Amino acid sequence: MKKMDSESIDVIYLDPPFNSNAVYNVGFASAGDASAQIHAFDDTWKWTHETSVNFDFLVSEGGLPDLAAEALSAVRTLAKESPLTAYMTMMAPRLVEIHRLVKRTGSVYLHCDPTASHYLKVMMDAIFGPKSFRNEIIWKRTGGHAPRKSYGPIHDTILFYTKSESGYYFKPLKSPYTRDHVKSRYRQLPDGRLKFTSGGNVLTGANVSRGESGKPWRGVDPSKKNRHWAVPGFIADQMPDGFRDLGTIEQLEAAYQAGLIEFIPGRAWPEPVRFLEDDAGTALGDIWAYQPGTAGSLHGTEDEIDSDVAYLGPTSPERLGYPTQKPTGLLERILRASCPPGGVVMDPFCGCGTTIAAAQNLGLSWIGIDITFIAVDLIINRIRTAYGDDVADAIDVRGIPEDLAGARKLFERDPFEFERWAVSLVKGTPNQKQVGDKGRDGIIRYYKGRKTKPGQIVVSVKGGKQLNPAMVRDLQGTVANNAKFDGGILITMWDPTRGMREAANGAGVWLDPAGAAHAKIQLITVPELLSGKRIDVPLIVPPYTEARPISETSEQMLIDFDA
């Protein structure tokens, strides 16, 4: 983020990582206290000597603005040297950068949960200012939990801030009226239109006015009831250009002549004529809760209440393997409200790319940042599957190796990230966790047909200089002992030995569904892949005949791999 221009982003959404599956029993005690219940952040955040040094720099040496430094110090006073304090020490400088990057007209949506939301809100208040706080949105993240000694934790919190107190972009969204509401408030006319029938004094406002709006019109004097005339916007929207330039009495008369105001016998006030528009509905509130089983309750649709932001079920086809993955509809709702057409969206913790997918679907430019290459690879494949090679290949990916020297540096810094990067070079899916993989570092899935499961080719990666034929034989054994693998690919940083090539040549071939022969074991080096050489495999994914349409192609698509 420090490399990016100030005030260049319209909307920043972030869902910072922590172990959200265990965030409801966080205690506050020093690290190492066995009795403390600090389960929420144990997997990722720990108070270490390095954390202490970073904390001291942030609060004592100008690393943070004064108010943010005071807020971080307050967290340490309350939570001590706990994982929670370590987490906030990580978050504080990133929130400062986010404040710098968002435009004056822009917005920030910080997704968190009740364990950390109040600490993050204090930090956001310190950085953005309390008057820039717009909403605390409650999002129903699951169908239900049943703890024995508390209410079921089923919601996340989304903190909505703007860079400025006014003048920011926001387009109000609506949810459809319920059918019961329409039935009780509207009457269907012979021409099919639904006319509002509830009446009520909506042509006047409170208090007397000495100006034109306080004068009598057609025998009705608003001043006698301590009121004044106020023409509703929905009437003005239906009138020709120039209507708003008229005086109040002229507006009332023009609307009356146009049939938009009527006098109903027995009612004290004239009433506006209002019909139910296609986009009519209730302005969205700050509770977004999908309600399964409500199909048929909304006017004009069979959708369930808040179905566009429905949580992902365990078998949802949208799931990509991330336990904290958010639904694309949730991000699309946020972007429709806060990102102007042609705007730029950024997610500094982009994970599996839901924000990016939502921005792409809406024709917006986007920037994603993540510290793991598997996230970058997953996002590229996600875009490739939905939109095809042309769109995926247009993504500007920065921070990953572009030459052999970069590949070697990545291997020295993080061998596991190197393995995942190397698997991506052959368009495979790398392992998501660093576990005992027995030489299986990734899988290539290839297309067999619409009604058949994809075929699989196992990928093994060796970044070290010490290479020998046993590595080929091990991969050959993996293929032979697992019926779902048709072949194997061995990627090496350095040139394979003669014995390795002989072992690979002796492994034989396999036939794909079209009858084409492919080497059972293929050897390829990182330099060869970087120079453009490709492995011999069938079609990896189905033809892109059902890609989702978008209003326009995003001009700026960037993923930053910050390892």
Side-chain angles (χ1 to χ4, degrees), residues 136-416:
E136 179 185 60
I137 299 167
I138 301 301
W139 173 62
K140 185 179 179 182
R141 65 177 178 83
T142 185
H145 283 297
R148 295 183 178 181
K149 296 185 178 181
S150 67
Y151 300 108
I154 63 172
H155 84 274
D156 279 355
T157 297
I158 303 174
L159 302 175
F160 171 29
Y161 280 77
T162 55
K163 181 70 168 279
S164 57
E165 296 176 23
S166 62
Y168 55 89
Y169 179 88
F170 186 77
K171 180 182 179 181
L173 302 180
K174 298 177 181 178
S175 58
Y177 289 132
T178 64
R179 294 185 180 180
D180 286 344
H181 170 83
V182 172
K183 184 178 180 181
S184 65
R185 298 295 184 93
Y186 292 83
R187 175 171 58 87
Q188 189 168 24
L189 301 181
D191 62 6
R193 292 183 299 170
L194 292 169
K195 182 181 179 182
F196 187 67
T197 59
S198 291
N201 179 20
V202 295
L203 282 174
T204 66
N207 301 322
V208 171
S209 171
R210 295 186 178 182
E212 186 180 0
S213 63
K215 296 180 179 179
W217 172 68
R218 287 189 170 266
V220 180
D221 186 356
S223 298
K224 289 184 177 180
K225 294 189 177 183
N226 197 34
R227 308 284 293 181
H228 68 276
W229 297 113
V231 179
F234 67 83
I235 286 183
D237 291 340
Q238 300 176 71
M239 294 298 291
D241 293 341
F243 176 81
R244 286 182 169 85
D245 297 330
L246 300 174
T248 302
I249 299 301
E250 291 177 308
Q251 286 184 350
L252 290 169
E253 186 63 27
Y256 174 75
Q257 297 297 333
L260 296 179
I261 296 177
E262 61 184 358
F263 289 82
I264 300 175
R267 294 186 181 178
W269 295 92
E271 297 178 3
V273 176
R274 181 164 37 169
F275 296 97
L276 187 65
E277 303 293 335
D278 291 339
D279 61 349
T282 303
L284 279 181
D286 57 8
I287 298 178
W288 300 355
Y290 167 56
Q291 302 297 316
T294 57
S297 65
L298 298 176
H299 175 73
T301 178
E302 293 298 323
D303 291 341
E304 297 167 308
I305 295 173
D306 272 346
S307 60
D308 61 319
V309 294
Y311 48 83
L312 297 179
T315 60
S316 171
E318 192 176 326
R319 280 208 174 273
L320 297 170
Y322 267 59
T324 58
Q325 180 181 346
K326 305 303 183 292
T328 305
L330 176 66
L331 272 300
E332 289 186 354
R333 177 182 284 193
I334 288 171
L335 298 184
R336 285 199 307 271
S338 289
C339 193
V344 181
V345 179
M346 187 184 83
D347 187 340
F349 298 91
C350 60
C352 62
T354 299
T355 306
I356 288 169
Q360 186 74 28
N361 292 344
L362 298 175
L364 302 169
S365 298
W366 52 262
I367 299 171
I369 303 171
D370 205 272
I371 198 171
T372 63
F373 182 77
I374 190 170
V376 177
D377 181 65
L378 192 154
I379 292 167
I380 293 174
N381 285 327
R382 186 173 186 174
I383 297 297
R384 190 182 305 280
T385 300
Y387 295 100
D389 289 333
D390 290 344
V391 176
D393 292 342
I395 297 173
D396 179 10
V397 182
R398 301 178 184 176
I400 63 172
E402 297 181 355
D403 53 27
L404 183 58
R408 291 174 179 171
K409 287 181 180 179
L410 177 59
F411 177 71
E412 292 171 359
R413 184 173 69 235
D414 192 330
F416 182 53

Side-chain angles (χ1 to χ4, degrees), residues 20 28 30 37 43 62 64 67 91 97 136 165 192 195 247 283 287 291 337 343 358 392 395 405 436-437 477 562:
S20 61
F28 304 102
S30 299
Q37 292 183 325
D43 288 348
L64 289 176
L67 283 178
M91 285 299 300
E97 282 299 303
E136 179 185 60
E165 296 176 23
K195 182 181 179 182
I287 298 178
Q291 302 297 316
I395 297 173
D437 52 34
D562 183 12

